[in-house]
Amino acid sequence: MASTNRSGDPATDRRADYDYRNETVDRPGMVDDLERLVDGEVRFDEYSKQLYATDASAYEMTPIGVVFPTSTEDVSAVVSYCARREIPVLPRGGGTSLAGQAVNEAVVLDFTRYMDDIVEVDPDGRRARAQSGVILGELNRTLAPHDLKFAPDPSTADRSALGGAIGNNTTGAHSLLYGKTDAYVEEVEAVLADGSVHTFGEMAVEELRECADSDGELIERIYGEVVRIIDEEGDAVEETYPDLKRNVSGYNLDVLIEEARGEGATEKGTVNLARLLVGSEGTLALVTEAEVALEPIPETKSIALLTYHSLLDAMEDVGTILEHEPAAVEVLDGVLLELARDLEEFKDVVGILPDETDTFLLVEFYAEGDEERREKVETLLEDRVGEIAFDGLEAYDSDEQKAFWKMRKASTPILLSRTDDRKHIAFIEDIAIPPEHLPEYTADFQQIFEDHDTFGSFYAHAGPGCMHVRPLVNVKTAEGVETMVSISDAATDLAVKYGGSVSGEHGDGRARTQWNKKLYGEHLWEVFRDLKTAFDPDWLLNPGSVCGDFDMSENLRYGPDYEFEAGFEPTLNWENDNGFQGMAELCHGCGGCRTSQEGTGGVMCPTYRASKEEITSTRGRANMLRQAMSGDLSDEEQFDTEFMHEVMDLCVGCKGCAKDCPSEVDMAKLKVEVENEHQKRHGSSLRTKVFANIDTLSKLGSATAPLSNLASELPGSRLLMEKTLGIARERSLPEFHRETLVDWFEERGPRVSETEADRKALLFPDTYTNHNNPEAGKAAVRVLEAAGVHVAIPDGVTASGRPAHSKGLLEKSRGQAERNVSVLAPRIEEGWDVVVVEPSDAVMFQLDYLDLLSGDDVQRVATNTFGVMEYVDRFRLDESLTFEGSDEHLTYHGHCHQKSTKKDHHAVGVLRRAGYRVDPLDSTCCGMAGSFGYEAEHYSMSQAVGRMLFDQIDASDGESVVAPGASCRSQIGDEYDEKPPHPVERLASALA
């Protein structure tokens, strides 16, 4: 066997002469050099490095710096520069890797920011060409009009990049039909370790021989090693590689040998070297562009959901189910289902299952028509229900199918919703075995858990035998780390025992590289290393992965040396395990906050969607906050003004992450807590105080109206406000009404007596409705009274506290909450409900008061407070009303706080019953976000977020827009020169 001469690990040998981690590297010089060499961005600041120190795995390593290339030329320039100076390089996509292959001490190249173009689509040839940074979900949305798709479908497809799919040899839930990414890669453009650019695709072995030269250029030496492997290692590869659809461990030598021997997709004697790079995790070359084969989108689908009393029962049934030729067979066990029941996002879906369900199998079929898809489901249910499965559900409606798939695809972050020190972390979640061995394999694995006094969850791809297994361990202790390694060792033995692989989907990385030697043996391990050396002589491309020196117990995000020090006593109530710390550590990096608006919907995360900057994502902010409090940044960094400005400032407090993040990371709550402490230490700005006391200013504005409305129109007044208070001159300011809602109601009085009413409601006079938009309040009164409700406006209340709370002035918002609760709780005990017109104020009562106060009174107020449209819908008050039957088509934009608490649907239902046609937008935050959009430094971001909403409004068929939020109406009004009405106003106008 030919072998490169070396004393040991090439990376170790190199580091003996050059330590890129010490101060011999002129970092400022590197930045200057790279900025001259590339058109993209170069960031070596501490914050950027920390943002790229983690991915979705259990690992953390601070990179040397980050570059955002704009082209293959940029990538080549960076690699050439680093090669000359022996500096490692790491390509990165969406950072969703679970094995730690996307973190390293290297110069990170993030392809997703600029290199995300779809270069060409050839529908007739079923081909597409795209840059490595394109997100798979975006690629498929582009292909959908052609009824085509890129077939591998990981659960993270809406934030995973094509380059990452190639690097990991990604597959997905439908691998029973489609296999892995390597089957679809036809050609790649790649940058080699010396910076040279080459195109890899189909090539005759004889041509390889002709081009090979062990003393020649890098590409000629690569060809020589490939030929040597084909000639000398074919039998060893065939004998050693597991016979599996789902093996992505090591290098893709089995595909190489199959093709060379005529067993693969190519003609005998012809190999596709692009596929040799698939699954190499950036250790052989950096793929910058790829041509991929496409598959037709199935005409229709259907789902059978089989329920079982135990996981082992379900595993016994998989083999028989496969005989029905499904497109996918996915499993969720009892551990996951219990966690999902406690999450707002999934409790409704889990509630559909029979009570005694411990495990279910989701079986999906593809079909060419409705009759066929129903027949497939019915045949399966007839065959299996009553045998091992005790019940079965059918799903033909697309929304039902999406709900089941959403829960399945969110399995990993659901598992990581625990906020204590024990986590279901990834390190052996990826073993694949022949599916016929699933029952005994699962039983053996459960015994491993029992031997280590823990348990875990089993979920995902039961059909192809690649179940994800997540043990519960605490790696913050030395004992926990030992347990992790011991479980991994035993699990690898199981993989070998049953003819499986240590990775069936997520790759080797830091978690599994060390086990490849046990899986493949010493001989093939050395073959891997020789191939690596041929491609990368100095081991500078993502060094350590696949066949390197990674130790799974090192560089853990939470290890025995990890310490968390908040540095202050939290003000808010934190009911979760580990309190504030538990929430700060909850983000595990799945990247769900990095999705785009188009095709994904949801609220989270509006500023990331507008900017595509990692630091504006929930993941970015959560990582930075945790790192600041665990010593990765300087002492008390989290309270520094720069930290607040760079990290927390662009969080608009939409609360979308508390719902859309499957782990329910509540960044809005984290932000106000840290902001509160920051202001205790550094004081509050004049503008912050102004916005926090907007109720007082609004009283003055109403008292002096209409003169107060003219002030902002005086020449130079807006410029003066921008200079003195930082209020954007482009913004129109709210108008004040001389007659407030309270004034109007006091003079008018109630029209339904308390004795005649079935319900009685206290209409809370929120600041905006009272002083700026009393017409919405009047409409609310008319609607409620028309429905027979006795309405009153409570005496003695103050502002809701929302403005102060959103600015982090928690003592002020707590004082306002205490006063309102003291007034409202006794009235609620007397049978009154609390109704609020403004959504953000309603959610303040319903949710945020529980963070500020404790006890029965605040619980009573939170439970009995309703947004006005929610109130009408919840108690079906509109059923007693008569409407004029308007069929006007409305476009409805719900407030992000309502969406985040699942209350935005109420207005849609009521308006439709009133006769309107309603198009509800699946929109994120409007971008105004209270005071955010008024602040001069935030104006451009506010507009960028708003444009996503404006595009949706323009695309809607609605004749006019309705929006319950004052901020939303201001943002839309500034764009379209007319403020839309509150939904309750349209409801009132429809009354007969």
Side-chain angles (χ1 to χ4, degrees):
M1 167 183 167
S3 178
T4 302
N5 292 323
R6 56 174 180 262
S7 59
D9 187 340
T12 302
D13 290 345
R14 174 179 53 74
R15 290 172 188 167
D17 299 321
Y18 183 87
D19 187 352
Y20 60 87
R21 293 167 293 183
N22 66 27
E23 293 304 316
T24 61
V25 176
D26 180 7
R27 297 296 167 80
M30 282 183 64
V31 174
D32 292 342
D33 290 345
L34 289 173
E35 284 181 339
R36 284 193 295 269
L37 288 170
V38 303
D39 293 328
E41 297 176 52
V42 179
R43 301 182 189 174
F44 277 51
D45 62 282
E46 196 62 31
Y47 284 1
S48 294
K49 291 191 290 184
Q50 291 300 326
L51 286 167
Y52 286 82
T54 56
D55 54 8
S57 73
Y59 296 94
E60 179 171 350
M61 287 197 79
T62 305
I64 296 170
V66 185
V67 177
F68 302 87
T70 62
S71 63
T72 298
E73 289 74 19
D74 275 1
V75 177
S76 174
V78 172
V79 174
S80 296
Y81 178 89
C82 291
R84 291 193 298 272
R85 289 155 182 80
E86 297 187 319
I87 300 170
V89 177
L90 168 67
R92 176 163 162 144
T96 59
S97 305
L98 287 170
Q101 56 268 63
V103 294
N104 213 330
E105 283 187 283
V107 173
V108 173
L109 291 166
D110 182 347
F111 288 87
T112 61
R113 184 158 176 79
Y114 298 117
M115 293 185 65
D116 60 351
D117 287 343
I118 298 171
V119 179
E120 182 183 10
V121 175
D122 175 11
D124 295 332
R126 291 188 182 176
R127 294 283 191 274
R129 191 171 188 89
Q131 292 180 305
S132 290
V134 70
I135 301 303
L136 296 181
E138 296 295 333
L139 175 61
N140 279 330
R141 278 188 282 279
T142 300
L143 297 173
H146 305 291
D147 292 324
L148 294 171
K149 66 177 181 177
F150 178 66
D153 57 342
S155 60
T156 57
D158 58 353
R159 63 261 195 196
S160 296
L162 177 61
I166 293 170
N168 274 13
N169 201 0
T170 289
T171 177
H174 298 90
S175 64
L176 288 171
L177 290 180
Y178 298 126
K180 307 189 296 286
T181 294
D182 55 19
Y184 300 92
V185 174
E186 301 297 332
E187 184 177 280
V188 299
E189 177 186 75
V191 176
L192 299 183
D194 61 355
S196 60
V197 181
H198 289 272
T199 297
F200 293 95
E202 280 197 3
M203 193 171 185
V205 175
E206 288 308 311
E207 185 181 355
L208 278 174
R209 296 186 197 283
E210 293 171 4
C211 296
D213 185 349
S214 60
D215 298 318
E217 299 294 325
L218 178 60
I219 187 64
E220 296 168 333
R221 300 198 302 273
I222 289 170
Y223 290 158
E225 181 59 20
V226 171
V227 169
R228 191 199 68 77
I229 291 173
I230 291 172
D231 291 344
E232 300 179 17
E233 307 295 351
D235 290 345
V237 169
E238 286 192 340
E239 291 168 5
T240 308
Y241 270 67
D243 183 15
L244 284 175
K245 288 185 176 182
R246 296 290 292 259
N247 174 30
V248 300
S249 287
Y251 291 124
N252 235 2
L253 302 187
D254 53 342
V255 173
L256 177 70
I257 298 304
E258 284 177 4
E259 291 183 343
R261 295 184 172 183
E263 299 166 4
T266 59
E267 182 182 348
K268 182 177 180 179
T270 300
V271 295
N272 191 323
L273 292 187
R275 292 170 188 165
L276 183 59
L277 299 183
V278 179
S280 63
E281 300 182 1
T283 63
L284 301 182
L286 279 65
V287 174
T288 57
E289 194 172 292
E291 180 179 318
V292 294
L294 308 174
E295 290 287 337
I297 295 174
E299 183 175 328
T300 187
K301 307 172 186 178
S302 58
I303 288 176
L305 207 66
L306 296 170
T307 60
Y308 301 86
H309 289 120
S310 74
L311 174 64
L312 290 180
D313 283 350
M315 295 301 95
E316 290 284 354
D317 218 14
V318 170
T320 306
I321 291 171
L322 291 176
E323 296 174 5
H324 289 257
E325 299 183 345
V329 181
E330 302 285 294
V331 62
L332 259 75
D333 73 350
V335 174
L336 256 167
L337 291 178
E338 280 304 307
L339 287 171
R341 285 187 179 96
D342 295 331
L343 295 174
E344 285 296 324
E345 185 77 350
F346 302 106
K347 61 172 58 175
D348 292 342
V349 181
V350 181
I352 299 172
L353 302 174
D355 292 340
E356 60 269 38
T357 302
D358 173 83
T359 298
F360 73 68
L361 290 177
L362 184 157
V363 185
E364 183 172 75
F365 293 99
Y366 288 171
E368 295 183 0
D370 185 63
E371 182 178 350
E372 182 186 359
R373 68 171 181 158
R374 290 179 181 274
E375 181 182 350
K376 288 184 175 183
V377 167
E378 290 166 2
T379 300
L380 178 68
L381 294 179
E382 289 172 6
D383 181 35
R384 304 317 305 152
V385 175
E387 293 293 324
I388 301 179
F390 71 85
D391 203 349
L393 306 176
E394 304 169 56
Y396 304 105
D397 177 77
S398 61
D399 289 338
E400 291 178 354
Q401 294 182 40
K402 285 178 183 177
F404 285 129
W405 271 115
K406 184 175 183 180
M407 183 167 62
R408 161 46 207 105
K409 290 183 177 182
S411 299
T412 299
I414 287 174
L415 275 177
L416 294 179
S417 62
R418 293 181 184 272
T419 54
D420 61 3
D421 288 338
R422 301 173 306 156
K423 302 288 186 184
H424 289 284
I425 64 173
F427 60 94
I428 47 88
E429 86 292 348
D430 206 19
I431 291 175
I433 53 123
E436 61 267 24
H437 296 311
L438 277 174
E440 55 265 46
Y441 165 78
T442 304
D444 286 352
F445 223 127
Q446 290 176 330
Q447 184 61 51
I448 291 175
F449 287 159
E450 189 173 328
D451 293 343
H452 290 84
D453 194 26
T454 187
F455 67 95
S457 176
F458 295 76
Y459 64 99
H461 317 302
C466 184
M467 288 195 303
H468 298 332
V469 185
R470 291 291 190 108
L472 188 67
V473 294
N474 177 12
V475 292
K476 290 181 180 179
T477 67
E479 295 78 12
V481 175
E482 290 177 7
T483 297
M484 177 183 73
V485 176
S486 179
I487 289 174
S488 192
D489 194 6
T492 302
D493 289 339
L494 280 189
V496 174
K497 174 183 177 181
Y498 289 110
S501 167
V502 294
S503 180
E505 182 172 18
H506 299 149
D508 297 322
R510 298 183 175 277
R512 285 179 283 274
T513 286
Q514 73 186 73
W515 305 113
N516 277 338
K517 188 182 293 187
K518 177 181 281 193
L519 177 66
Y520 290 111
E522 191 74 39
H523 180 77
L524 283 187
W525 174 259
E526 289 300 323
V527 173
F528 290 164
R529 292 164 72 82
D530 285 336
L531 181 66
K532 164 69 173 173
T533 302
F535 270 91
D536 181 18
D538 294 317
W539 285 50
L540 296 175
L541 304 183
N542 198 10
S545 198
V546 182
C547 58
D549 58 353
F550 283 164
D551 182 333
M552 70 173 299
S553 66
E554 296 178 350
N555 302 114
L556 292 165
R557 190 185 309 188
Y558 305 111
D561 297 329
Y562 174 85
E563 293 181 1
F564 183 95
E565 180 56 54
F568 70 105
E569 190 64 33
T571 298
L572 299 174
N573 297 328
W574 295 90
E575 303 296 337
N576 52 280
D577 293 323
N578 281 4
F580 175 83
Q581 176 181 347
M583 183 59 70
E585 294 175 349
L586 184 55
C587 174
H588 63 281
C590 75
C593 48
R594 285 173 50 97
T595 57
S596 66
Q597 176 70 25
E598 183 182 353
T600 57
V603 179
M604 178 183 73
C605 180
T607 50
Y608 174 78
R609 289 174 169 179
S611 69
K612 304 301 183 191
E613 289 276 5
E614 176 74 15
I615 202 168
T616 63
S617 68
T618 302
R619 178 175 79 175
R621 295 187 184 104
N623 269 328
M624 292 298 291
L625 181 61
R626 175 188 56 78
Q627 289 163 333
M629 293 182 172
S630 61
D632 289 333
L633 297 175
S634 59
D635 291 345
E636 298 194 342
E637 179 86 23
Q638 69 270 30
F639 308 121
D640 185 81
T641 299
E642 181 184 5
F643 182 88
M644 293 302 300
H645 176 73
E646 294 293 336
V647 179
M648 294 295 177
D649 190 47
L650 292 181
C651 172
V652 297
C654 67
K655 297 181 182 289
C657 48
K659 178 183 79 72
D660 292 343
C661 170
S663 295
E664 298 184 356
V665 174
D666 194 339
M667 181 49 61
K669 186 175 177 181
L670 287 167
K671 178 190 176 181
V672 297
E673 185 74 88
V674 176
E675 198 167 35
N676 178 63
E677 183 63 22
H678 172 262
Q679 291 183 106
K680 283 182 180 179
R681 300 183 183 210
H682 299 280
S684 303
S685 69
L686 175 60
R687 185 179 67 189
T688 293
K689 293 174 182 176
V690 167
F691 282 130
N693 290 279
I694 195 68
D695 189 61
T696 301
L697 292 175
S698 295
K699 289 176 183 177
L700 179 62
S702 288
T704 58
L707 291 178
S708 55
N709 296 325
L710 296 175
S712 65
E713 302 303 322
L714 293 174
S717 61
R718 293 194 181 187
L719 178 60
L720 179 63
M721 281 191 293
E722 182 169 295
K723 295 294 186 182
T724 56
L725 292 176
I727 296 175
R729 72 184 80 176
E730 297 89 348
R731 285 296 182 194
S732 60
L733 300 180
E735 292 187 359
F736 297 103
H737 286 247
R738 183 70 174 234
E739 182 186 58
T740 66
L741 174 64
V742 172
D743 294 338
W744 172 81
F745 193 82
E746 284 180 352
E747 182 176 341
R748 172 186 180 276
R751 298 295 170 85
V752 176
S753 70
E754 186 173 353
T755 56
E756 296 173 348
D758 292 329
R759 306 195 71 87
K760 48 187 182 178
L762 297 170
L763 185 65
F764 179 80
D766 67 82
T767 298
Y768 189 86
T769 303
N770 191 33
H771 296 284
N772 306 110
N773 190 27
E775 291 306 315
K778 296 174 185 179
V781 171
R782 287 195 289 270
V783 167
L784 295 178
E785 289 185 339
V789 177
H790 173 62
V791 180
I793 292 182
D795 294 325
V797 293
T798 184
S800 71
R802 169 60 68 201
H805 198 77
S806 66
K807 304 306 290 184
L809 297 176
L810 298 184
E811 291 307 317
K812 182 175 181 61
S813 64
R814 174 174 284 161
Q816 292 169 314
E818 287 173 339
R819 178 172 170 181
N820 288 334
V821 168
S822 68
V823 171
L824 297 174
R827 305 292 298 276
I828 290 171
E829 284 196 88
E830 295 169 1
W832 290 83
D833 305 311
V834 179
V835 177
V836 187
V837 173
E838 178 58 33
S840 62
D841 292 272
V843 173
M844 187 74 191
F845 282 93
Q846 295 167 332
L847 184 67
D848 298 283
Y849 276 15
L850 297 174
D851 293 333
L852 290 164
L853 306 175
S854 301
D856 293 339
D857 281 351
V858 69
Q859 287 284 352
R860 192 173 293 114
V861 170
T863 302
N864 292 280
T865 296
F866 309 90
V868 62
M869 299 301 281
E870 175 192 5
Y871 189 63
V872 172
D873 188 39
R874 179 74 60 87
F875 299 107
R876 286 297 193 267
L877 301 179
D878 57 314
E879 291 180 356
S880 64
L881 302 177
T882 303
F883 298 101
E884 292 180 337
S886 171
D887 64 349
E888 184 181 358
H889 195 164
L890 304 177
T891 297
Y892 174 77
H893 165 67
H895 192 279
C896 52
H897 285 183
Q898 287 183 317
K899 292 180 178 182
S900 300
T901 52
K902 294 190 174 181
K903 297 179 184 296
D904 64 307
H905 64 282
H906 294 292
V908 176
V910 173
L911 289 171
R912 284 174 174 167
R913 293 197 295 272
Y916 293 105
R917 289 175 293 146
V918 184
D919 177 16
L921 302 179
D922 189 3
S923 48
T924 182
C925 176
C926 69
M928 199 68 171
S931 65
F932 181 86
Y934 286 103
E935 294 162 358
E937 71 274 23
H938 296 149
Y939 177 75
S940 60
M941 175 60 77
S942 173
Q943 288 297 98
V945 174
R947 277 191 288 274
M948 294 186 287
L949 171 61
F950 306 150
D951 289 344
Q952 289 181 298
I953 290 174
D954 293 342
S956 171
D957 294 330
E959 301 165 51
S960 57
V961 181
V962 291
S967 294
C968 312
R969 298 197 299 277
S970 296
Q971 179 81 304
I972 296 169
D974 282 356
E975 175 68 14
Y976 295 98
D977 297 325
E978 183 179 358
K979 284 188 179 180
H982 190 291
V984 76
E985 294 180 80
R986 301 313 302 266
L987 190 62
S989 65
L991 287 172

